[in-house]
Amino acid sequence: MPLYYEFHLLFRVMWSGKWAIVSPHGFLSSVWRLIPSFKGYSQQDAQEFLCEVLDKVHSELKYVLSPPLVKMGDSLCPVQEIIPESFEGQLVSQVNCRKCNHKSNTFEPFWDLSLEFPERYQFSQSRTSLSEESCHITEMLTKFTEIEQLGAVYSCDTCNRRRRSSKAVIRTEATKRLLIRKPPKILRLHLKRFRWSGRNHREKINVHVDFSQDLNLRPFCYLSSDEDTDLTTEDFMYDLTAVVMHHGRGFGSGHYTSYCYNSAGGFWVNCNDSRLELCSADDITSCQAYIMFYTKRTLNRSVEGKSEAQPQKRRSRRITL
C-alpha cells in the first residue's frame, strides 16, 4: 500500500474514538519499505523524518486517479495539493547593490523554516564560552531575516549594463536578506538545536526558548506599499497548535514526545508513545522544544488577497521552554 493510504487510515482510526491505544504498525511498515533510510530501530531525527514523509506523501498523491476534493477551512482543495496547500509558503531573497541601490528579488517556496540560535550560542575561534540565557523565538526569526553583508562579489545587472563589453565584469558591494513573501497556513519552525563542537561531533543546545501561544509574523514579511496599508496585524497572527520535544543530551540518542492542541475540545494533550495525558500551558514550560507548529488564525486572508473570514481568537498565554 502507498504511504498516503496508510497515513489516511491511521488518522481515521485515531479519530474514530473506538480505541484508547492505536498502533501505527501499517504506517511504520510502509515507511520502512518506501523510505529505506528510516528502516530499523536506530536513532532518527524527527525533523528529517517529517520532511521525508511529507515529501513522499505529496509525490504519491500526484498519481492518484480521479482525485477527490478536500475541505480546508471554507474552501475545497484537490487532494494532490493538500500538503503544499497546508505547509507551503514563499520566501523572497532580496539582494541590494550598494553602488546603484538596485534591488533584485528571487522567490522560492518553503515548507518549513530552520532557525539558528543567536551567535552567543555558537562556537567560534573567538568564542569559547557560550551563553546559557534563554532567547525568544522572535530573536531567532530576526536572525533568519537579518541583513547579510556579501562584500564586493555581486555582479549587478544595472551596473554592468553601463560598462563596455570589452571591460571586465563589475563586482560591487551588496547585501542580502531573506523575508517571508507568502506566509503558509501552517508554519513549521525547526529549531537547530544541534551544533558542531568538534571533529565529527554534534552536541545539543539546551537553552530555553521563550514564546507565546500566538505569533505575529508581520515583522518578518515582505510587503508592498499597498499590502502594508490594507492588511492588519490580525492577518499575520498565528496560534500555537503543536510542539515536538527532544529529550536527551545529544544528536545520536534521546526520545521524542509532543504537545498537541485539540481545537475541537480546547485543550492540550501530551503524547508520549502509548500514553496520552491532558496538560496545561504550565506543563509545556518544562519541555525541550525542537519543532513548533503554528496555524494561521485567518486562513482565508494573506498578503496576496483578503476575505471576510473571521479570526478564531484564543487567549494568549506566555510559555517558556
PDB file of all heavy atoms in Angstrom, residues 146-163:
ATOM      1  N   GLU A 146      17.806  38.649   9.075  1.00  0.00           N
ATOM      2  CA  GLU A 146      18.751  39.757   9.201  1.00  0.00           C
ATOM      3  C   GLU A 146      19.481  40.015   7.882  1.00  0.00           C
ATOM      4  O   GLU A 146      19.586  39.144   7.016  1.00  0.00           O
ATOM      5  CB  GLU A 146      19.764  39.456  10.316  1.00  0.00           C
ATOM      6  CG  GLU A 146      20.725  38.341   9.999  1.00  0.00           C
ATOM      7  CD  GLU A 146      21.671  38.054  11.157  1.00  0.00           C
ATOM      8  OE1 GLU A 146      21.588  38.756  12.180  1.00  0.00           O
ATOM      9  OE2 GLU A 146      22.483  37.111  11.041  1.00  0.00           O
ATOM     10  N   ILE A 147      19.998  41.226   7.737  1.00  0.00           N
ATOM     11  CA  ILE A 147      20.722  41.621   6.533  1.00  0.00           C
ATOM     12  C   ILE A 147      22.126  41.028   6.567  1.00  0.00           C
ATOM     13  O   ILE A 147      22.843  41.153   7.553  1.00  0.00           O
ATOM     14  CB  ILE A 147      20.786  43.153   6.418  1.00  0.00           C
ATOM     15  CG1 ILE A 147      19.368  43.734   6.267  1.00  0.00           C
ATOM     16  CG2 ILE A 147      21.659  43.574   5.237  1.00  0.00           C
ATOM     17  CD1 ILE A 147      19.334  45.247   6.262  1.00  0.00           C
ATOM     18  N   GLU A 148      22.513  40.377   5.471  1.00  0.00           N
ATOM     19  CA  GLU A 148      23.829  39.753   5.351  1.00  0.00           C
ATOM     20  C   GLU A 148      24.706  40.569   4.397  1.00  0.00           C
ATOM     21  O   GLU A 148      24.277  40.928   3.305  1.00  0.00           O
ATOM     22  CB  GLU A 148      23.676  38.326   4.814  1.00  0.00           C
ATOM     23  CG  GLU A 148      24.986  37.610   4.564  1.00  0.00           C
ATOM     24  CD  GLU A 148      24.791  36.265   3.889  1.00  0.00           C
ATOM     25  OE1 GLU A 148      23.621  35.871   3.667  1.00  0.00           O
ATOM     26  OE2 GLU A 148      25.801  35.611   3.560  1.00  0.00           O
ATOM     27  N   GLN A 149      25.915  40.860   4.842  1.00  0.00           N
ATOM     28  CA  GLN A 149      26.857  41.605   4.011  1.00  0.00           C
ATOM     29  C   GLN A 149      27.575  40.618   3.076  1.00  0.00           C
ATOM     30  O   GLN A 149      28.239  39.696   3.535  1.00  0.00           O
ATOM     31  CB  GLN A 149      27.874  42.340   4.889  1.00  0.00           C
ATOM     32  CG  GLN A 149      27.262  43.346   5.856  1.00  0.00           C
ATOM     33  CD  GLN A 149      26.609  44.521   5.159  1.00  0.00           C
ATOM     34  OE1 GLN A 149      26.995  44.903   4.043  1.00  0.00           O
ATOM     35  NE2 GLN A 149      25.607  45.103   5.818  1.00  0.00           N
ATOM     36  N   LEU A 150      27.456  40.833   1.755  1.00  0.00           N
ATOM     37  CA  LEU A 150      28.055  39.922   0.777  1.00  0.00           C
ATOM     38  C   LEU A 150      29.469  40.323   0.376  1.00  0.00           C
ATOM     39  O   LEU A 150      30.218  39.500  -0.141  1.00  0.00           O
ATOM     40  CB  LEU A 150      27.174  39.849  -0.481  1.00  0.00           C
ATOM     41  CG  LEU A 150      25.759  39.291  -0.290  1.00  0.00           C
ATOM     42  CD1 LEU A 150      25.038  39.267  -1.630  1.00  0.00           C
ATOM     43  CD2 LEU A 150      25.779  37.908   0.325  1.00  0.00           C
ATOM     44  N   GLY A 151      29.836  41.576   0.594  1.00  0.00           N
ATOM     45  CA  GLY A 151      31.151  42.031   0.144  1.00  0.00           C
ATOM     46  C   GLY A 151      31.134  42.393  -1.336  1.00  0.00           C
ATOM     47  O   GLY A 151      30.088  42.418  -1.998  1.00  0.00           O
ATOM     48  N   ALA A 152      32.299  42.637  -1.908  1.00  0.00           N
ATOM     49  CA  ALA A 152      32.414  43.070  -3.309  1.00  0.00           C
ATOM     50  C   ALA A 152      32.460  41.859  -4.242  1.00  0.00           C
ATOM     51  O   ALA A 152      33.441  41.639  -4.964  1.00  0.00           O
ATOM     52  CB  ALA A 152      33.653  43.938  -3.485  1.00  0.00           C
ATOM     53  N   VAL A 153      31.404  41.086  -4.250  1.00  0.00           N
ATOM     54  CA  VAL A 153      31.343  39.871  -5.069  1.00  0.00           C
ATOM     55  C   VAL A 153      30.120  39.845  -5.974  1.00  0.00           C
ATOM     56  O   VAL A 153      29.959  38.932  -6.788  1.00  0.00           O
ATOM     57  CB  VAL A 153      31.334  38.609  -4.167  1.00  0.00           C
ATOM     58  CG1 VAL A 153      32.619  38.507  -3.365  1.00  0.00           C
ATOM     59  CG2 VAL A 153      30.118  38.607  -3.238  1.00  0.00           C
ATOM     60  N   TYR A 154      29.256  40.854  -5.866  1.00  0.00           N
ATOM     61  CA  TYR A 154      27.973  40.827  -6.571  1.00  0.00           C
ATOM     62  C   TYR A 154      28.104  41.420  -7.977  1.00  0.00           C
ATOM     63  O   TYR A 154      28.645  42.506  -8.165  1.00  0.00           O
ATOM     64  CB  TYR A 154      26.936  41.609  -5.769  1.00  0.00           C
ATOM     65  CG  TYR A 154      25.564  41.648  -6.388  1.00  0.00           C
ATOM     66  CD1 TYR A 154      24.877  40.476  -6.689  1.00  0.00           C
ATOM     67  CD2 TYR A 154      24.933  42.865  -6.665  1.00  0.00           C
ATOM     68  CE1 TYR A 154      23.609  40.504  -7.255  1.00  0.00           C
ATOM     69  CE2 TYR A 154      23.669  42.902  -7.224  1.00  0.00           C
ATOM     70  CZ  TYR A 154      23.013  41.714  -7.521  1.00  0.00           C
ATOM     71  OH  TYR A 154      21.752  41.756  -8.072  1.00  0.00           O
ATOM     72  N   SER A 155      27.601  40.690  -8.949  1.00  0.00           N
ATOM     73  CA  SER A 155      27.569  41.167 -10.331  1.00  0.00           C
ATOM     74  C   SER A 155      26.202  41.788 -10.590  1.00  0.00           C
ATOM     75  O   SER A 155      25.241  41.093 -10.936  1.00  0.00           O
ATOM     76  CB  SER A 155      27.833  40.003 -11.301  1.00  0.00           C
ATOM     77  OG  SER A 155      27.715  40.431 -12.632  1.00  0.00           O
ATOM     78  N   CYS A 156      26.108  43.084 -10.411  1.00  0.00           N
ATOM     79  CA  CYS A 156      24.841  43.808 -10.545  1.00  0.00           C
ATOM     80  C   CYS A 156      24.497  44.019 -12.019  1.00  0.00           C
ATOM     81  O   CYS A 156      25.312  44.536 -12.793  1.00  0.00           O
ATOM     82  CB  CYS A 156      24.933  45.143  -9.816  1.00  0.00           C
ATOM     83  SG  CYS A 156      23.471  46.181  -9.998  1.00  0.00           S
ATOM     84  N   ASP A 157      23.300  43.629 -12.429  1.00  0.00           N
ATOM     85  CA  ASP A 157      22.875  43.790 -13.825  1.00  0.00           C
ATOM     86  C   ASP A 157      22.826  45.255 -14.226  1.00  0.00           C
ATOM     87  O   ASP A 157      23.211  45.622 -15.349  1.00  0.00           O
ATOM     88  CB  ASP A 157      21.498  43.150 -14.027  1.00  0.00           C
ATOM     89  CG  ASP A 157      21.544  41.635 -13.919  1.00  0.00           C
ATOM     90  OD1 ASP A 157      22.640  41.069 -14.080  1.00  0.00           O
ATOM     91  OD2 ASP A 157      20.484  41.024 -13.666  1.00  0.00           O
ATOM     92  N   THR A 158      22.344  46.093 -13.320  1.00  0.00           N
ATOM     93  CA  THR A 158      22.216  47.511 -13.636  1.00  0.00           C
ATOM     94  C   THR A 158      23.584  48.173 -13.824  1.00  0.00           C
ATOM     95  O   THR A 158      23.802  48.932 -14.773  1.00  0.00           O
ATOM     96  CB  THR A 158      21.444  48.242 -12.523  1.00  0.00           C
ATOM     97  OG1 THR A 158      20.161  47.624 -12.358  1.00  0.00           O
ATOM     98  CG2 THR A 158      21.250  49.711 -12.857  1.00  0.00           C
ATOM     99  N   CYS A 159      24.518  47.877 -12.925  1.00  0.00           N
ATOM    100  CA  CYS A 159      25.865  48.462 -13.028  1.00  0.00           C
ATOM    101  C   CYS A 159      26.592  47.947 -14.269  1.00  0.00           C
ATOM    102  O   CYS A 159      27.306  48.701 -14.948  1.00  0.00           O
ATOM    103  CB  CYS A 159      26.676  48.143 -11.776  1.00  0.00           C
ATOM    104  SG  CYS A 159      26.071  48.968 -10.277  1.00  0.00           S
ATOM    105  N   ASN A 160      26.443  46.656 -14.583  1.00  0.00           N
ATOM    106  CA  ASN A 160      27.151  46.075 -15.717  1.00  0.00           C
ATOM    107  C   ASN A 160      26.544  46.455 -17.050  1.00  0.00           C
ATOM    108  O   ASN A 160      27.192  46.340 -18.095  1.00  0.00           O
ATOM    109  CB  ASN A 160      27.205  44.548 -15.580  1.00  0.00           C
ATOM    110  CG  ASN A 160      28.298  44.099 -14.631  1.00  0.00           C
ATOM    111  OD1 ASN A 160      29.475  44.097 -14.970  1.00  0.00           O
ATOM    112  ND2 ASN A 160      27.915  43.741 -13.408  1.00  0.00           N
ATOM    113  N   ARG A 161      25.309  46.926 -17.040  1.00  0.00           N
ATOM    114  CA  ARG A 161      24.665  47.354 -18.274  1.00  0.00           C
ATOM    115  C   ARG A 161      25.321  48.623 -18.824  1.00  0.00           C
ATOM    116  O   ARG A 161      25.263  48.917 -20.006  1.00  0.00           O
ATOM    117  CB  ARG A 161      23.176  47.590 -18.007  1.00  0.00           C
ATOM    118  CG  ARG A 161      22.293  47.511 -19.246  1.00  0.00           C
ATOM    119  CD  ARG A 161      20.823  47.635 -18.874  1.00  0.00           C
ATOM    120  NE  ARG A 161      20.361  46.477 -18.138  1.00  0.00           N
ATOM    121  CZ  ARG A 161      19.597  46.550 -17.040  1.00  0.00           C
ATOM    122  NH1 ARG A 161      19.260  47.720 -16.550  1.00  0.00           N
ATOM    123  NH2 ARG A 161      19.200  45.447 -16.433  1.00  0.00           N
ATOM    124  N   ARG A 162      25.971  49.378 -17.941  1.00  0.00           N
ATOM    125  CA  ARG A 162      26.579  50.645 -18.336  1.00  0.00           C
ATOM    126  C   ARG A 162      28.025  50.478 -18.817  1.00  0.00           C
ATOM    127  O   ARG A 162      28.618  51.408 -19.354  1.00  0.00           O
ATOM    128  CB  ARG A 162      26.553  51.614 -17.150  1.00  0.00           C
ATOM    129  CG  ARG A 162      25.166  51.872 -16.599  1.00  0.00           C
ATOM    130  CD  ARG A 162      25.238  52.550 -15.245  1.00  0.00           C
ATOM    131  NE  ARG A 162      23.907  52.709 -14.649  1.00  0.00           N
ATOM    132  CZ  ARG A 162      23.714  53.032 -13.368  1.00  0.00           C
ATOM    133  NH1 ARG A 162      24.754  53.218 -12.573  1.00  0.00           N
ATOM    134  NH2 ARG A 162      22.496  53.148 -12.901  1.00  0.00           N
ATOM    135  N   ARG A 163      28.615  49.316 -18.583  1.00  0.00           N
ATOM    136  CA  ARG A 163      30.019  49.129 -18.939  1.00  0.00           C
ATOM    137  C   ARG A 163      30.150  48.728 -20.413  1.00  0.00           C
ATOM    138  O   ARG A 163      29.215  48.232 -21.040  1.00  0.00           O
ATOM    139  CB  ARG A 163      30.644  48.035 -18.064  1.00  0.00           C
ATOM    140  CG  ARG A 163      30.151  46.634 -18.390  1.00  0.00           C
ATOM    141  CD  ARG A 163      30.794  45.580 -17.515  1.00  0.00           C
ATOM    142  NE  ARG A 163      30.223  44.265 -17.796  1.00  0.00           N
ATOM    143  CZ  ARG A 163      30.709  43.434 -18.706  1.00  0.00           C
ATOM    144  NH1 ARG A 163      31.785  43.772 -19.404  1.00  0.00           N
ATOM    145  NH2 ARG A 163      30.130  42.260 -18.911  1.00  0.00           N
TER     146      ARG A 163
END
